[in-house]
Amino acid sequence: MKAMIDKDLCIGCGVCPDICPEVFQMDGDKASVIVDAVPVPQETRAKQAAAECPADAIILEI
Ligand code: SF4
């Protein structure tokens, strides 16, 4: 699974790195993805981060 952030939508709330720091980090006032592919053990939390993102800025590709 691949994760991407739509930086135009991201409001920099910090929720995604809180939920899944293995995949997301804050990069200034926006989040960014730190892995090319989401490791299988982190897939559930990456999905949770996408579901809880208040701006719907996280895109997951299976
Ligand atoms: S949860 Fe969404 S809005 Fe918040 S930092 Fe992550 S991508 Fe940005």
Side-chain angles (χ1 to χ4, degrees):
M1 190 170 78
K2 208 168 159 55
M4 286 158 289
I5 306 272
D6 184 330
K7 298 216 178 208
D8 290 334
L9 294 178
C10 175
I11 58 170
C13 69
V15 163
C16 56
D18 276 356
I19 294 173
C20 191
E22 298 88 349
V23 173
F24 305 102
Q25 71 177 8
M26 293 314 290
D27 196 5
D29 61 352
K30 304 279 179 174
S32 63
V33 175
I34 54 177
V35 289
D36 282 337
V38 177
V40 171
Q42 269 83 56
E43 284 190 353
T44 300
R45 279 187 297 120
K47 288 178 188 170
Q48 187 190 346
E52 295 195 18
C53 171
D56 279 338
I58 300 175
I59 302 140
L60 298 177
E61 273 181 5
I62 309 293

